[in-house]
Amino acid sequence: DNNKAYEFITEEQFDNSIKHTDANVPGESEAQAISRIRERFDILDTMTEATMEGTVRALIVSGPPGVGKSYGVEEKLNEANIFDKIAESKPKWEVCRGAMSAIGLYQKLFKFSSRGHILVLDDCDSILFDDVALNILKAALDSSKKRYISWNTESRVLHNEGVPDRFEFNGSVILITNIKFNYVKSKKLQDHLQAVMSRCHYLDLTMDNIRDRMLRCKQIIADGEMLAPYKFSAEQEQKLIDFIWEHKDKLNEISLRMVTKIADLMKMSKDWEMLARATCMKRTLMAG
């Protein structure tokens, strides 16, 4: 009714005033948010299967670190290749992580260039900032019927490895990244990423805030597999969830990795909360 009828509060005050089990954002309840997140990971499973079948030849998966992007993809690939393992055949897929040079990317694409083979690039974001590597990636992701990749510079490395300077790529690529392609500020990089996106399917896991990442952790815990080895009671699991929610702004990150770190501490010591504060929280905030 007047300017004394309402009060401005901080986000932290709001979070502290409600329990996470009832935390809503306008237009979306917690149950709806969990359903949205679960649906996105179901889509990831479906798209990974389509990549294995060759229906989808290129897939980009974008989402925050530590929410199970890589795990979901690897699980599906392992399931599909179980008979190859039994027969001790060469694997038809490989996950590459970390820094990768242009020539290293070229070699890996050649190795997995046969139909039915998949190269998974997990957090290899350096190739997105290298013009040569990016052009090679674009050639591999191209939507044309025949995809040829060339290396037009003399290379002793390729010669020694028996890698030709031109080959047809019939495999598939899955690129897993923390970068949200739609929100990159650099105009030059934006243009490059748009060119990459136009060549393949792009799946954003839509976990853009702490609440979504927290609900993802809660969903995985509720599914029962993640904490099963710890044999926690329902009360202990709820304590763990409550602790993470209460300290969400102080923890180094909100992720499935953080859940297992704190679960390890809970299993090993009755003073697990003290240990978690000392080893899992940002020091500057702790000091405050």
Side-chain angles (χ1 to χ4, degrees), residues 220-239:
I220 293 297
I221 292 171
D223 287 347
E225 294 182 11
M226 185 177 183
L227 296 181
Y230 296 93
K231 297 181 180 178
F232 288 151
S233 65
E235 184 182 358
Q236 286 175 307
E237 288 187 2
Q238 190 60 48
K239 263 189 175 182

Side-chain angles (χ1 to χ4, degrees), residues 168-235:
E168 184 180 356
F169 183 71
N170 291 307
S172 299
V173 176
I174 299 177
L175 176 64
I176 302 173
T177 178
N178 300 332
I179 296 175
K180 291 182 73 68
F181 280 35
N182 293 322
Y183 296 98
V184 172
K185 291 182 180 179
S186 164
K187 180 66 171 67
K188 181 184 176 184
L189 184 57
Q190 211 173 53
D191 292 341
H192 283 318
L193 297 184
Q194 285 298 325
V196 171
M197 282 178 65
S198 71
R199 286 166 163 78
C200 55
H201 294 273
Y202 177 76
L203 176 62
D204 184 348
L205 295 176
T206 69
M207 287 185 286
D208 301 326
N209 53 55
I210 289 177
R211 176 177 181 264
D212 279 355
R213 293 196 286 276
M214 186 67 216
L215 291 178
R216 168 64 175 165
C217 294
K218 185 178 178 183
Q219 174 226 320
I220 293 297
I221 292 171
D223 287 347
E225 294 182 11
M226 185 177 183
L227 296 181
Y230 296 93
K231 297 181 180 178
F232 288 151
S233 65
E235 184 182 358

Side-chain angles (χ1 to χ4, degrees), residues 37-288:
I37 293 166
R38 190 190 299 276
E39 182 184 71
R40 284 279 156 170
F41 278 88
D42 288 343
I43 291 171
L44 176 58
D45 288 346
T46 301
M47 294 299 285
T48 303
E49 289 171 356
T51 306
M52 292 184 292
E53 293 163 2
T55 309
V56 171
R57 298 193 299 178
L59 172 65
I60 298 171
V61 184
S62 172
V67 296
K69 304 187 298 295
S70 309
Y71 177 79
V73 170
E74 287 189 54
E75 279 292 291
K76 282 293 172 186
L77 293 175
N78 273 318
E79 287 173 15
N81 285 276
I82 189 167
F83 293 111
D84 289 333
K85 285 185 176 180
I86 293 171
E88 296 184 353
S89 303
K90 286 185 178 180
K92 294 180 180 178
W93 60 275
E94 183 178 324
V95 178
C96 296
R97 293 186 172 91
M100 178 173 283
S101 65
I103 197 168
L105 175 62
Y106 186 84
Q107 288 176 287
K108 287 295 183 183
L109 288 169
F110 174 72
K111 182 179 178 182
F112 291 91
S113 60
S114 300
R115 196 174 304 278
H117 286 62
I118 302 171
L119 180 63
V120 182
L121 302 170
D122 186 7
D123 283 342
C124 294
D125 294 338
S126 58
I127 63 177
L128 300 175
F129 301 91
D130 181 325
D131 287 345
V132 177
L134 196 55
N135 285 329
I136 291 171
L137 181 64
K138 285 192 283 189
L141 301 179
D142 201 83
S143 55
S144 57
K145 287 185 178 179
K146 287 187 176 290
R147 293 170 288 172
Y148 287 99
I149 306 176
S150 303
W151 186 271
N152 295 317
T153 306
E154 179 65 29
S155 171
R156 188 173 296 173
V157 174
L158 296 182
H159 178 74
N160 292 340
E161 293 291 329
V163 179
D165 57 12
R166 186 174 186 264
F167 64 90
E168 184 180 356
F169 183 71
N170 291 307
S172 299
V173 176
I174 299 177
L175 176 64
I176 302 173
T177 178
N178 300 332
I179 296 175
K180 291 182 73 68
F181 280 35
N182 293 322
Y183 296 98
V184 172
K185 291 182 180 179
S186 164
K187 180 66 171 67
K188 181 184 176 184
L189 184 57
Q190 211 173 53
D191 292 341
H192 283 318
L193 297 184
Q194 285 298 325
V196 171
M197 282 178 65
S198 71
R199 286 166 163 78
C200 55
H201 294 273
Y202 177 76
L203 176 62
D204 184 348
L205 295 176
T206 69
M207 287 185 286
D208 301 326
N209 53 55
I210 289 177
R211 176 177 181 264
D212 279 355
R213 293 196 286 276
M214 186 67 216
L215 291 178
R216 168 64 175 165
C217 294
K218 185 178 178 183
Q219 174 226 320
I220 293 297
I221 292 171
D223 287 347
E225 294 182 11
M226 185 177 183
L227 296 181
Y230 296 93
K231 297 181 180 178
F232 288 151
S233 65
E235 184 182 358
Q236 286 175 307
E237 288 187 2
Q238 190 60 48
K239 263 189 175 182
L240 191 151
I241 294 171
D242 289 339
F243 179 85
I244 293 174
W245 182 262
E246 182 184 349
H247 301 287
K248 62 186 182 302
D249 295 318
K250 301 174 185 176
L251 291 167
N252 292 326
E253 64 176 4
I254 301 295
S255 68
L256 300 177
R257 285 190 290 264
M258 183 58 70
V259 173
T260 54
K261 283 180 187 177
I262 297 175
D264 288 338
L265 297 176
M266 180 183 278
K267 190 72 176 176
M268 65 179 265
S269 172
K270 64 179 181 180
D271 296 321
W272 63 272
E273 292 187 39
M274 178 190 70
L275 296 174
R277 289 190 183 93
T279 63
C280 300
M281 294 187 187
K282 299 166 187 172
R283 294 181 62 188
T284 51
L285 290 172
M286 284 182 61

